[in-house]
Structure formats: C-alpha cells, structure tokens
Amino acid sequence: MKALKNTWYMAGWVHELENENPLGRKIIDIPIVIYRGDDGELAALFDRCPHRFAPLSKGRIKGNNLQCGYHGLTFNCEGSCVDNPEGGHPPKSAYLNSFPIVEKDNIIWIWMGEKEKFDVSLIPDYSIHNDKSLSFLYGHSFVKSNYELITDNLLDLSHTRYIHPGFGGENYEYDHTIEVQEQEIYSKYYVDSSPNSEIGEAMFPTKGQAVDEYNDMRWNLPASLQLEVWFTKPGDKKENGAVNWAAHILTPKTKHETHYFWASGVSKESPLDDKTHLNFLLQAFNEEDKPMIEACYERMSGNEFWDMKPVVLKVDSAAVRARRTLNNAIAHEERSDNS
Ligand code: FES
Ligand SMILES: [Fe+2]
C-alpha cells in the first residue's frame, strides 16, 4: 500500500506484551512480530519464517531469541538465524528483516522505513500518559476503513452535533481555529457557555449550569492524534475546570483496515468512574463514529479520495491540511527513493 515509511507507527501498548508471548501485528501491509527478550529489550522482526513461511508470532521466546513454532529455526533480535535444532549450520539465507522499535509513554513505536534514518526525536509527545495524577483507560480496535478517513473524523469535530448526543449533540456550537507548527497541526474547537453535555456532567457536574468547553486536537505525521478537553465554568480559568486527555493513534493495517489505538485519562479525583468512562468511549466510537466511517469508506468503493472530488467545507481546513502534509511527505519519500 502507499504509505509513509520513514516515520513512527504505533505498534501497540506496552502492556500488550506482558503475557510473555510474541505479538503479531500487520502494519502498512507488512506482518511484524514483536517480542521482549530476557534482557528486557524489545525486538521487531518480519513475521514470516524463511523456511516454510510460518508466522514467527506463533513461535516462542527463548532467552533473547525467537524460535519458530514449526521446525524450530531460531532467530536473534537482529533477525539472524542462530540455531537449527534439526542439525547443520543455518544457511545464510535464513534471516529476517528487523525494524527499529522504541517504547515510550506506554506506547510501542516502530520505524518501517530505512533503518539508518530512524530518529527518536520524531516520536510525537504522549508524555501525559506518565502523569501520576491522571487515571487512563487504554484500548485497541479495528476499523474497516482507510486511516485517512478516520483522521478526517478526528480533526473535524463538527460531526459531534449530528452523531454524538452524549458529547453535546445539537448544543455543540463551536468556534473553530487551526494552528500549524511545522508538521504539527492543531484543530481547536471552543464551545462558549453552553448546556453541559452528558460526559461533561459526569466529569464536571454543574447541575444545569452552562459550561465553556475546549477541544484541542493535535495531529502528527502520519496519523497520531491527541485530544485535550477542558470543561470550565463560563469565563473561568482552565485550572479550575476538569480535563480529559485522549490519545487517538491510527496505524494502517492494510489500505482498507486500520488499527485504532485509544487512551483516555481523567484526574484520579474525577467523579467519572472507570465503568462509566469506558461506556462513554465505547458508545461514541464503536456505536457512533466507527459505523459512520465504515459506511463512508464502503461508499467510496475503493476509489481514491481526491479522485472523487469531495466537497470541501470551511470546517475541513485542518483535515485537508493533514492530508496534504501526509501526501507531500509520501511524495517526497518516493522522489528520494527514485533518485
Ligand atoms: S517454517 Fe519455520 S522452521 Fe520451518
Ligand atoms: Fe466522533
């Protein structure tokens, strides 16, 4: 599939590796196996044994190595075959591609491009996950859509009025601004003195009084987003209100399917309990956003977005900017590959 390669993709949450089994995950159409060796280091390898093509993710971790679950060829963290238990030296052709992998802010990041170009300073900031005053819920689901359609959804929150009654619904009357800082885009929605939404009331109860609401969505290449939400009394300072931080990180599985990694954190003092919090998230995403995005993608019938000449509205400014930034980065990478 056409995708940016020299970039960081989220491969999973760090806690997904806690059960000591290798983790198989397809990213931009490439099968990857991730495991943690006895030395505590993460490794990421191409998830297909060069012998009979078994997924290594069905194998087992042995020390710092990974053993194929079919006939036992064993590979080190760099992908070299270091043991053939059936006898004889492993042939030189028995190797797997390896990928740079980093864990940061409870996220496993993988670099799918040229190894010599990997740069940890390009990992987007999710250090809020380390804030001990907050309590986070984490999840992973799949969307049957190209990832850019989901980016559009997250940067254009005007849809709240139509499909998210619990997040304000018809009261979601906003001022929208966008800010661009190099390759980082902010899409900011401000709702001035409006009836509190259901989730607002659960996080910042006002018993019928109006609130101001700030929804600041940040976008980083290729599709890593973070939403910062504040509820305050009208005109009051943010620090007197209630905050919600939400990661929305999209990793293309294939051209037609996307890993959607999400996290949502509120103050440990928040009246919002975990069960209610989770219900709000699942209702909004699984029942409201996801079916609409999948239905839109189905209607696109495999055609390219711009080829379909979509109507562009004022509120699409951040989404269009993100699409252009990503397309330019992909085109630049393709030009460098061909030169
Ligand atoms: S398929 Fe892996 S060792 Fe045979
Ligand atoms: Fe939504």
Side-chain angles (χ1 to χ4, degrees), residues 122-167:
L122 297 177
I123 295 177
D125 178 23
Y126 288 92
S127 54
I128 196 70
H129 295 164
N130 307 318
D131 187 329
K132 297 277 183 283
S133 72
L134 301 173
S135 164
F136 274 91
L137 300 174
Y138 296 96
H140 171 211
S141 56
F142 296 92
V143 186
K144 287 195 166 46
S145 159
N146 180 276
Y147 66 110
E148 287 184 84
L149 220 48
I150 316 172
T151 301
D152 291 342
N153 167 278
L154 291 163
L155 288 173
D156 172 11
L157 296 182
S158 69
H159 71 268
T160 301
R161 201 191 317 233
Y162 305 96
I163 63 176
H164 294 316
F167 284 68

mmCIF file of all heavy atoms in Angstrom, residues 122-167:
data_model
loop_
_atom_site.group_PDB
_atom_site.id
_atom_site.type_symbol
_atom_site.label_atom_id
_atom_site.label_comp_id
_atom_site.label_asym_id
_atom_site.label_seq_id
_atom_site.Cartn_x
_atom_site.Cartn_y
_atom_site.Cartn_z
ATOM 1 N N LEU A 122 11.571 12.243 16.494
ATOM 2 C CA LEU A 122 10.349 12.423 15.688
ATOM 3 C C LEU A 122 9.124 11.748 16.318
ATOM 4 O O LEU A 122 8.021 11.855 15.803
ATOM 5 C CB LEU A 122 10.555 11.856 14.277
ATOM 6 C CG LEU A 122 11.637 12.527 13.438
ATOM 7 C CD1 LEU A 122 11.786 11.813 12.095
ATOM 8 C CD2 LEU A 122 11.309 14.004 13.211
ATOM 9 N N ILE A 123 9.311 11.058 17.438
ATOM 10 C CA ILE A 123 8.161 10.395 18.089
ATOM 11 C C ILE A 123 7.270 11.471 18.715
ATOM 12 O O ILE A 123 7.749 12.303 19.482
ATOM 13 C CB ILE A 123 8.645 9.400 19.177
ATOM 14 C CG1 ILE A 123 9.437 8.260 18.527
ATOM 15 C CG2 ILE A 123 7.467 8.855 19.973
ATOM 16 C CD1 ILE A 123 10.021 7.267 19.521
ATOM 17 N N PRO A 124 5.972 11.476 18.388
ATOM 18 C CA PRO A 124 5.100 12.502 18.969
ATOM 19 C C PRO A 124 4.992 12.354 20.487
ATOM 20 O O PRO A 124 5.184 11.263 21.027
ATOM 21 C CB PRO A 124 3.736 12.260 18.309
ATOM 22 C CG PRO A 124 3.914 11.189 17.314
ATOM 23 C CD PRO A 124 5.261 10.570 17.482
ATOM 24 N N ASP A 125 4.721 13.461 21.131
ATOM 25 C CA ASP A 125 4.736 13.508 22.596
ATOM 26 C C ASP A 125 3.414 12.994 23.191
ATOM 27 O O ASP A 125 2.362 13.610 22.990
ATOM 28 C CB ASP A 125 4.971 14.973 23.028
ATOM 29 C CG ASP A 125 4.956 15.115 24.537
ATOM 30 O OD1 ASP A 125 5.201 14.115 25.232
ATOM 31 O OD2 ASP A 125 4.678 16.233 25.012
ATOM 32 N N TYR A 126 3.499 11.884 23.898
ATOM 33 C CA TYR A 126 2.346 11.393 24.678
ATOM 34 C C TYR A 126 2.754 11.234 26.140
ATOM 35 O O TYR A 126 2.291 10.327 26.838
ATOM 36 C CB TYR A 126 1.833 10.056 24.106
ATOM 37 C CG TYR A 126 1.116 10.243 22.784
ATOM 38 C CD1 TYR A 126 1.806 10.147 21.585
ATOM 39 C CD2 TYR A 126 -0.241 10.562 22.740
ATOM 40 C CE1 TYR A 126 1.172 10.343 20.369
ATOM 41 C CE2 TYR A 126 -0.885 10.756 21.529
ATOM 42 C CZ TYR A 126 -0.174 10.646 20.354
ATOM 43 O OH TYR A 126 -0.818 10.848 19.149
ATOM 44 N N SER A 127 3.661 12.134 26.612
ATOM 45 C CA SER A 127 4.184 12.012 27.979
ATOM 46 C C SER A 127 3.089 12.208 29.020
ATOM 47 O O SER A 127 3.283 11.865 30.182
ATOM 48 C CB SER A 127 5.323 13.003 28.203
ATOM 49 O OG SER A 127 4.885 14.297 27.887
ATOM 50 N N ILE A 128 1.927 12.717 28.603
ATOM 51 C CA ILE A 128 0.812 12.871 29.542
ATOM 52 C C ILE A 128 0.440 11.496 30.146
ATOM 53 O O ILE A 128 -0.069 11.434 31.270
ATOM 54 C CB ILE A 128 -0.402 13.542 28.828
ATOM 55 C CG1 ILE A 128 -1.405 14.077 29.847
ATOM 56 C CG2 ILE A 128 -1.069 12.622 27.826
ATOM 57 C CD1 ILE A 128 -0.945 15.263 30.620
ATOM 58 N N HIS A 129 0.749 10.408 29.410
ATOM 59 C CA HIS A 129 0.437 9.070 29.937
ATOM 60 C C HIS A 129 1.228 8.747 31.199
ATOM 61 O O HIS A 129 0.900 7.801 31.916
ATOM 62 C CB HIS A 129 0.716 7.986 28.875
ATOM 63 C CG HIS A 129 -0.166 8.098 27.677
ATOM 64 N ND1 HIS A 129 0.098 7.475 26.487
ATOM 65 C CD2 HIS A 129 -1.318 8.784 27.480
ATOM 66 C CE1 HIS A 129 -0.855 7.764 25.603
ATOM 67 N NE2 HIS A 129 -1.711 8.569 26.187
ATOM 68 N N ASN A 130 2.289 9.520 31.449
ATOM 69 C CA ASN A 130 3.120 9.263 32.645
ATOM 70 C C ASN A 130 2.689 10.114 33.831
ATOM 71 O O ASN A 130 3.305 10.044 34.890
ATOM 72 C CB ASN A 130 4.601 9.556 32.322
ATOM 73 C CG ASN A 130 5.061 8.805 31.080
ATOM 74 O OD1 ASN A 130 4.715 7.637 30.911
ATOM 75 N ND2 ASN A 130 5.790 9.467 30.205
ATOM 76 N N ASP A 131 1.656 10.929 33.647
ATOM 77 C CA ASP A 131 1.218 11.841 34.711
ATOM 78 C C ASP A 131 0.484 11.041 35.798
ATOM 79 O O ASP A 131 -0.603 10.510 35.559
ATOM 80 C CB ASP A 131 0.295 12.910 34.102
ATOM 81 C CG ASP A 131 -0.076 13.989 35.103
ATOM 82 O OD1 ASP A 131 -0.166 13.689 36.314
ATOM 83 O OD2 ASP A 131 -0.299 15.138 34.670
ATOM 84 N N LYS A 132 1.100 10.997 36.955
ATOM 85 C CA LYS A 132 0.554 10.139 38.041
ATOM 86 C C LYS A 132 -0.743 10.691 38.639
ATOM 87 O O LYS A 132 -1.428 9.998 39.390
ATOM 88 C CB LYS A 132 1.599 9.996 39.166
ATOM 89 C CG LYS A 132 2.884 9.302 38.725
ATOM 90 C CD LYS A 132 2.728 7.778 38.764
ATOM 91 C CE LYS A 132 3.990 7.038 38.405
ATOM 92 N NZ LYS A 132 4.292 6.999 36.963
ATOM 93 N N SER A 133 -1.084 11.954 38.309
ATOM 94 C CA SER A 133 -2.340 12.488 38.858
ATOM 95 C C SER A 133 -3.547 12.067 38.012
ATOM 96 O O SER A 133 -4.686 12.331 38.366
ATOM 97 C CB SER A 133 -2.271 14.021 38.931
ATOM 98 O OG SER A 133 -2.338 14.566 37.624
ATOM 99 N N LEU A 134 -3.265 11.412 36.873
ATOM 100 C CA LEU A 134 -4.348 11.017 35.961
ATOM 101 C C LEU A 134 -4.536 9.503 35.973
ATOM 102 O O LEU A 134 -3.598 8.744 36.213
ATOM 103 C CB LEU A 134 -4.028 11.465 34.529
ATOM 104 C CG LEU A 134 -3.825 12.960 34.303
ATOM 105 C CD1 LEU A 134 -3.338 13.215 32.885
ATOM 106 C CD2 LEU A 134 -5.113 13.730 34.553
ATOM 107 N N SER A 135 -5.751 9.094 35.654
ATOM 108 C CA SER A 135 -6.060 7.667 35.556
ATOM 109 C C SER A 135 -6.490 7.400 34.105
ATOM 110 O O SER A 135 -7.445 8.016 33.616
ATOM 111 C CB SER A 135 -7.193 7.387 36.541
ATOM 112 O OG SER A 135 -7.781 6.177 36.259
ATOM 113 N N PHE A 136 -5.766 6.507 33.413
ATOM 114 C CA PHE A 136 -6.019 6.265 31.981
ATOM 115 C C PHE A 136 -6.687 4.917 31.728
ATOM 116 O O PHE A 136 -6.373 3.919 32.378
ATOM 117 C CB PHE A 136 -4.697 6.295 31.199
ATOM 118 C CG PHE A 136 -4.290 7.676 30.780
ATOM 119 C CD1 PHE A 136 -3.475 8.441 31.593
ATOM 120 C CD2 PHE A 136 -4.743 8.222 29.591
ATOM 121 C CE1 PHE A 136 -3.114 9.728 31.213
ATOM 122 C CE2 PHE A 136 -4.385 9.502 29.203
ATOM 123 C CZ PHE A 136 -3.567 10.261 30.026
ATOM 124 N N LEU A 137 -7.555 4.887 30.741
ATOM 125 C CA LEU A 137 -8.055 3.642 30.155
ATOM 126 C C LEU A 137 -7.389 3.519 28.783
ATOM 127 O O LEU A 137 -7.212 4.525 28.091
ATOM 128 C CB LEU A 137 -9.574 3.705 29.961
ATOM 129 C CG LEU A 137 -10.438 3.926 31.201
ATOM 130 C CD1 LEU A 137 -11.896 4.117 30.790
ATOM 131 C CD2 LEU A 137 -10.302 2.736 32.142
ATOM 132 N N TYR A 138 -7.060 2.288 28.395
ATOM 133 C CA TYR A 138 -6.381 2.061 27.119
ATOM 134 C C TYR A 138 -7.132 1.015 26.296
ATOM 135 O O TYR A 138 -7.675 0.064 26.873
ATOM 136 C CB TYR A 138 -4.958 1.523 27.352
ATOM 137 C CG TYR A 138 -4.031 2.489 28.059
ATOM 138 C CD1 TYR A 138 -3.831 2.415 29.435
ATOM 139 C CD2 TYR A 138 -3.363 3.474 27.347
ATOM 140 C CE1 TYR A 138 -2.975 3.292 30.083
ATOM 141 C CE2 TYR A 138 -2.503 4.360 27.983
ATOM 142 C CZ TYR A 138 -2.315 4.266 29.351
ATOM 143 O OH TYR A 138 -1.480 5.135 29.981
ATOM 144 N N GLY A 139 -7.115 1.143 24.986
ATOM 145 C CA GLY A 139 -7.772 0.128 24.164
ATOM 146 C C GLY A 139 -7.214 0.079 22.748
ATOM 147 O O GLY A 139 -6.394 0.916 22.336
ATOM 148 N N HIS A 140 -7.657 -0.934 22.029
ATOM 149 C CA HIS A 140 -7.234 -1.161 20.632
ATOM 150 C C HIS A 140 -8.401 -1.799 19.897
ATOM 151 O O HIS A 140 -8.956 -2.784 20.350
ATOM 152 C CB HIS A 140 -6.024 -2.113 20.641
ATOM 153 C CG HIS A 140 -5.622 -2.597 19.267
ATOM 154 N ND1 HIS A 140 -5.064 -3.835 19.060
ATOM 155 C CD2 HIS A 140 -5.692 -2.028 18.045
ATOM 156 C CE1 HIS A 140 -4.795 -3.999 17.772
ATOM 157 N NE2 HIS A 140 -5.180 -2.913 17.125
ATOM 158 N N SER A 141 -8.808 -1.202 18.796
ATOM 159 C CA SER A 141 -9.834 -1.856 17.986
ATOM 160 C C SER A 141 -9.470 -1.670 16.507
ATOM 161 O O SER A 141 -8.433 -1.085 16.187
ATOM 162 C CB SER A 141 -11.223 -1.302 18.303
ATOM 163 O OG SER A 141 -11.245 0.081 18.126
ATOM 164 N N PHE A 142 -10.327 -2.189 15.656
ATOM 165 C CA PHE A 142 -10.058 -2.146 14.213
ATOM 166 C C PHE A 142 -11.197 -1.408 13.515
ATOM 167 O O PHE A 142 -12.352 -1.505 13.930
ATOM 168 C CB PHE A 142 -9.960 -3.564 13.641
ATOM 169 C CG PHE A 142 -8.803 -4.334 14.194
ATOM 170 C CD1 PHE A 142 -8.956 -5.143 15.314
ATOM 171 C CD2 PHE A 142 -7.550 -4.223 13.618
ATOM 172 C CE1 PHE A 142 -7.878 -5.833 15.835
ATOM 173 C CE2 PHE A 142 -6.462 -4.914 14.136
ATOM 174 C CZ PHE A 142 -6.632 -5.718 15.245
ATOM 175 N N VAL A 143 -10.844 -0.692 12.450
ATOM 176 C CA VAL A 143 -11.863 -0.015 11.658
ATOM 177 C C VAL A 143 -11.678 -0.446 10.203
ATOM 178 O O VAL A 143 -10.553 -0.402 9.685
ATOM 179 C CB VAL A 143 -11.737 1.527 11.753
ATOM 180 C CG1 VAL A 143 -12.902 2.190 11.049
ATOM 181 C CG2 VAL A 143 -11.651 1.978 13.203
ATOM 182 N N LYS A 144 -12.765 -0.842 9.571
ATOM 183 C CA LYS A 144 -12.682 -1.259 8.164
ATOM 184 C C LYS A 144 -12.768 -0.023 7.281
ATOM 185 O O LYS A 144 -13.794 0.271 6.653
ATOM 186 C CB LYS A 144 -13.792 -2.256 7.844
ATOM 187 C CG LYS A 144 -13.531 -3.619 8.469
ATOM 188 C CD LYS A 144 -14.413 -4.677 7.871
ATOM 189 C CE LYS A 144 -13.983 -6.083 8.205
ATOM 190 N NZ LYS A 144 -13.650 -6.342 9.584
ATOM 191 N N SER A 145 -11.672 0.718 7.299
ATOM 192 C CA SER A 145 -11.598 1.957 6.521
ATOM 193 C C SER A 145 -10.131 2.306 6.358
ATOM 194 O O SER A 145 -9.300 1.954 7.193
ATOM 195 C CB SER A 145 -12.301 3.095 7.277
ATOM 196 O OG SER A 145 -11.859 4.352 6.823
ATOM 197 N N ASN A 146 -9.828 3.038 5.307
ATOM 198 C CA ASN A 146 -8.511 3.639 5.186
ATOM 199 C C ASN A 146 -8.322 4.636 6.333
ATOM 200 O O ASN A 146 -9.256 5.316 6.746
ATOM 201 C CB ASN A 146 -8.423 4.352 3.834
ATOM 202 C CG ASN A 146 -7.074 4.999 3.632
ATOM 203 O OD1 ASN A 146 -6.844 6.103 4.095
ATOM 204 N ND2 ASN A 146 -6.187 4.311 2.966
ATOM 205 N N TYR A 147 -7.098 4.716 6.848
ATOM 206 C CA TYR A 147 -6.853 5.516 8.066
ATOM 207 C C TYR A 147 -7.106 7.009 7.869
ATOM 208 O O TYR A 147 -7.458 7.705 8.819
ATOM 209 C CB TYR A 147 -5.438 5.263 8.597
ATOM 210 C CG TYR A 147 -4.311 5.725 7.704
ATOM 211 C CD1 TYR A 147 -3.524 6.811 8.049
ATOM 212 C CD2 TYR A 147 -4.008 5.059 6.523
ATOM 213 C CE1 TYR A 147 -2.480 7.227 7.238
ATOM 214 C CE2 TYR A 147 -2.976 5.460 5.713
ATOM 215 C CZ TYR A 147 -2.210 6.552 6.066
ATOM 216 O OH TYR A 147 -1.190 6.966 5.262
ATOM 217 N N GLU A 148 -6.937 7.517 6.638
ATOM 218 C CA GLU A 148 -7.086 8.970 6.458
ATOM 219 C C GLU A 148 -8.532 9.437 6.676
ATOM 220 O O GLU A 148 -8.765 10.569 7.076
ATOM 221 C CB GLU A 148 -6.593 9.385 5.073
ATOM 222 C CG GLU A 148 -5.080 9.329 4.966
ATOM 223 C CD GLU A 148 -4.614 9.829 3.614
ATOM 224 O OE1 GLU A 148 -4.469 11.047 3.450
ATOM 225 O OE2 GLU A 148 -4.419 8.996 2.711
ATOM 226 N N LEU A 149 -9.482 8.535 6.425
ATOM 227 C CA LEU A 149 -10.882 8.907 6.669
ATOM 228 C C LEU A 149 -11.133 9.063 8.180
ATOM 229 O O LEU A 149 -11.996 9.848 8.603
ATOM 230 C CB LEU A 149 -11.786 7.813 6.089
ATOM 231 C CG LEU A 149 -13.055 8.230 5.364
ATOM 232 C CD1 LEU A 149 -12.835 9.327 4.352
ATOM 233 C CD2 LEU A 149 -13.704 7.020 4.706
ATOM 234 N N ILE A 150 -10.376 8.328 8.975
ATOM 235 C CA ILE A 150 -10.518 8.435 10.439
ATOM 236 C C ILE A 150 -9.822 9.716 10.927
ATOM 237 O O ILE A 150 -10.319 10.400 11.822
ATOM 238 C CB ILE A 150 -9.961 7.186 11.156
ATOM 239 C CG1 ILE A 150 -10.423 5.918 10.436
ATOM 240 C CG2 ILE A 150 -10.393 7.171 12.620
ATOM 241 C CD1 ILE A 150 -9.780 4.639 10.948
ATOM 242 N N THR A 151 -8.693 10.049 10.310
ATOM 243 C CA THR A 151 -8.054 11.341 10.632
ATOM 244 C C THR A 151 -9.031 12.485 10.352
ATOM 245 O O THR A 151 -9.166 13.417 11.163
ATOM 246 C CB THR A 151 -6.774 11.537 9.784
ATOM 247 O OG1 THR A 151 -5.867 10.466 10.038
ATOM 248 C CG2 THR A 151 -6.103 12.852 10.111
ATOM 249 N N ASP A 152 -9.712 12.426 9.213
ATOM 250 C CA ASP A 152 -10.704 13.474 8.881
ATOM 251 C C ASP A 152 -11.726 13.602 10.009
ATOM 252 O O ASP A 152 -12.084 14.704 10.430
ATOM 253 C CB ASP A 152 -11.495 13.102 7.611
ATOM 254 C CG ASP A 152 -10.678 13.135 6.343
ATOM 255 O OD1 ASP A 152 -9.605 13.756 6.334
ATOM 256 O OD2 ASP A 152 -11.136 12.532 5.344
ATOM 257 N N ASN A 153 -12.198 12.451 10.486
ATOM 258 C CA ASN A 153 -13.231 12.430 11.533
ATOM 259 C C ASN A 153 -12.728 13.118 12.800
ATOM 260 O O ASN A 153 -13.441 13.887 13.446
ATOM 261 C CB ASN A 153 -13.602 10.964 11.810
ATOM 262 C CG ASN A 153 -14.429 10.768 13.066
ATOM 263 O OD1 ASN A 153 -13.896 10.714 14.168
ATOM 264 N ND2 ASN A 153 -15.747 10.671 12.914
ATOM 265 N N LEU A 154 -11.454 12.855 13.138
ATOM 266 C CA LEU A 154 -10.926 13.372 14.409
ATOM 267 C C LEU A 154 -10.578 14.857 14.327
ATOM 268 O O LEU A 154 -10.646 15.577 15.331
ATOM 269 C CB LEU A 154 -9.694 12.556 14.811
ATOM 270 C CG LEU A 154 -9.998 11.106 15.216
ATOM 271 C CD1 LEU A 154 -8.728 10.251 15.200
ATOM 272 C CD2 LEU A 154 -10.647 11.060 16.593
ATOM 273 N N LEU A 155 -10.201 15.308 13.141
ATOM 274 C CA LEU A 155 -9.849 16.737 13.014
ATOM 275 C C LEU A 155 -11.080 17.607 12.779
ATOM 276 O O LEU A 155 -11.031 18.818 12.971
ATOM 277 C CB LEU A 155 -8.833 16.931 11.880
ATOM 278 C CG LEU A 155 -7.420 16.425 12.206
ATOM 279 C CD1 LEU A 155 -6.525 16.501 10.969
ATOM 280 C CD2 LEU A 155 -6.786 17.210 13.351
ATOM 281 N N ASP A 156 -12.165 16.998 12.356
ATOM 282 C CA ASP A 156 -13.408 17.753 12.111
ATOM 283 C C ASP A 156 -14.460 17.316 13.126
ATOM 284 O O ASP A 156 -15.240 16.392 12.880
ATOM 285 C CB ASP A 156 -13.885 17.502 10.675
ATOM 286 C CG ASP A 156 -15.270 18.097 10.449
ATOM 287 O OD1 ASP A 156 -15.743 18.869 11.319
ATOM 288 O OD2 ASP A 156 -15.879 17.767 9.414
ATOM 289 N N LEU A 157 -14.475 18.006 14.267
ATOM 290 C CA LEU A 157 -15.401 17.601 15.342
ATOM 291 C C LEU A 157 -16.796 18.187 15.152
ATOM 292 O O LEU A 157 -17.650 18.039 16.019
ATOM 293 C CB LEU A 157 -14.821 18.001 16.705
ATOM 294 C CG LEU A 157 -13.501 17.300 17.082
ATOM 295 C CD1 LEU A 157 -13.044 17.723 18.475
ATOM 296 C CD2 LEU A 157 -13.617 15.777 17.019
ATOM 297 N N SER A 158 -17.037 18.834 14.005
ATOM 298 C CA SER A 158 -18.392 19.352 13.760
ATOM 299 C C SER A 158 -19.408 18.207 13.741
ATOM 300 O O SER A 158 -20.593 18.411 13.968
ATOM 301 C CB SER A 158 -18.459 20.132 12.439
ATOM 302 O OG SER A 158 -18.306 19.269 11.337
ATOM 303 N N HIS A 159 -18.913 16.977 13.504
ATOM 304 C CA HIS A 159 -19.847 15.835 13.458
ATOM 305 C C HIS A 159 -20.448 15.545 14.834
ATOM 306 O O HIS A 159 -21.448 14.825 14.917
ATOM 307 C CB HIS A 159 -19.159 14.595 12.885
ATOM 308 C CG HIS A 159 -18.146 13.966 13.788
ATOM 309 N ND1 HIS A 159 -16.804 14.293 13.768
ATOM 310 C CD2 HIS A 159 -18.268 13.011 14.743
ATOM 311 C CE1 HIS A 159 -16.161 13.567 14.679
ATOM 312 N NE2 HIS A 159 -17.023 12.794 15.288
ATOM 313 N N THR A 160 -19.853 16.113 15.878
ATOM 314 C CA THR A 160 -20.380 15.902 17.246
ATOM 315 C C THR A 160 -21.858 16.255 17.310
ATOM 316 O O THR A 160 -22.662 15.587 17.953
ATOM 317 C CB THR A 160 -19.591 16.778 18.243
ATOM 318 O OG1 THR A 160 -18.215 16.395 18.155
ATOM 319 C CG2 THR A 160 -20.085 16.604 19.676
ATOM 320 N N ARG A 161 -22.219 17.324 16.597
ATOM 321 C CA ARG A 161 -23.594 17.815 16.640
ATOM 322 C C ARG A 161 -24.592 16.786 16.092
ATOM 323 O O ARG A 161 -25.743 16.733 16.490
ATOM 324 C CB ARG A 161 -23.678 19.100 15.817
ATOM 325 C CG ARG A 161 -24.890 19.906 16.216
ATOM 326 C CD ARG A 161 -25.172 21.041 15.274
ATOM 327 N NE ARG A 161 -24.043 21.804 14.829
ATOM 328 C CZ ARG A 161 -23.975 23.122 14.934
ATOM 329 N NH1 ARG A 161 -24.913 23.769 15.575
ATOM 330 N NH2 ARG A 161 -22.964 23.778 14.409
ATOM 331 N N TYR A 162 -24.112 15.955 15.190
ATOM 332 C CA TYR A 162 -25.023 15.049 14.488
ATOM 333 C C TYR A 162 -24.977 13.616 15.001
ATOM 334 O O TYR A 162 -25.983 12.908 14.952
ATOM 335 C CB TYR A 162 -24.733 15.090 12.975
ATOM 336 C CG TYR A 162 -24.820 16.506 12.492
ATOM 337 C CD1 TYR A 162 -23.681 17.304 12.377
ATOM 338 C CD2 TYR A 162 -26.068 17.101 12.274
ATOM 339 C CE1 TYR A 162 -23.770 18.636 12.025
ATOM 340 C CE2 TYR A 162 -26.168 18.431 11.922
ATOM 341 C CZ TYR A 162 -25.018 19.198 11.805
ATOM 342 O OH TYR A 162 -25.115 20.522 11.472
ATOM 343 N N ILE A 163 -23.774 13.175 15.478
ATOM 344 C CA ILE A 163 -23.738 11.758 15.867
ATOM 345 C C ILE A 163 -23.321 11.498 17.305
ATOM 346 O O ILE A 163 -23.317 10.339 17.723
ATOM 347 C CB ILE A 163 -22.907 10.879 14.898
ATOM 348 C CG1 ILE A 163 -21.454 11.268 14.866
ATOM 349 C CG2 ILE A 163 -23.484 10.867 13.521
ATOM 350 C CD1 ILE A 163 -20.641 10.309 13.976
ATOM 351 N N HIS A 164 -22.984 12.517 18.068
ATOM 352 C CA HIS A 164 -22.563 12.263 19.459
ATOM 353 C C HIS A 164 -23.464 13.008 20.451
ATOM 354 O O HIS A 164 -23.045 14.012 21.054
ATOM 355 C CB HIS A 164 -21.114 12.724 19.672
ATOM 356 C CG HIS A 164 -20.093 11.952 18.909
ATOM 357 N ND1 HIS A 164 -20.104 10.572 18.812
ATOM 358 C CD2 HIS A 164 -19.001 12.368 18.205
ATOM 359 C CE1 HIS A 164 -19.068 10.184 18.082
ATOM 360 N NE2 HIS A 164 -18.393 11.245 17.694
ATOM 361 N N PRO A 165 -24.691 12.525 20.684
ATOM 362 C CA PRO A 165 -25.566 13.239 21.625
ATOM 363 C C PRO A 165 -24.973 13.349 23.027
ATOM 364 O O PRO A 165 -25.153 14.365 23.703
ATOM 365 C CB PRO A 165 -26.862 12.402 21.623
ATOM 366 C CG PRO A 165 -26.510 11.101 20.988
ATOM 367 C CD PRO A 165 -25.344 11.353 20.077
ATOM 368 N N GLY A 166 -24.207 12.335 23.455
ATOM 369 C CA GLY A 166 -23.645 12.347 24.810
ATOM 370 C C GLY A 166 -22.508 13.346 24.977
ATOM 371 O O GLY A 166 -22.075 13.649 26.084
ATOM 372 N N PHE A 167 -21.979 13.838 23.834
ATOM 373 C CA PHE A 167 -20.851 14.777 23.884
ATOM 374 C C PHE A 167 -21.306 16.204 23.532
ATOM 375 O O PHE A 167 -20.502 17.026 23.144
ATOM 376 C CB PHE A 167 -19.743 14.319 22.936
ATOM 377 C CG PHE A 167 -18.945 13.161 23.488
ATOM 378 C CD1 PHE A 167 -19.516 11.897 23.645
ATOM 379 C CD2 PHE A 167 -17.625 13.325 23.875
ATOM 380 C CE1 PHE A 167 -18.792 10.831 24.161
ATOM 381 C CE2 PHE A 167 -16.882 12.267 24.391
ATOM 382 C CZ PHE A 167 -17.467 11.011 24.540
#
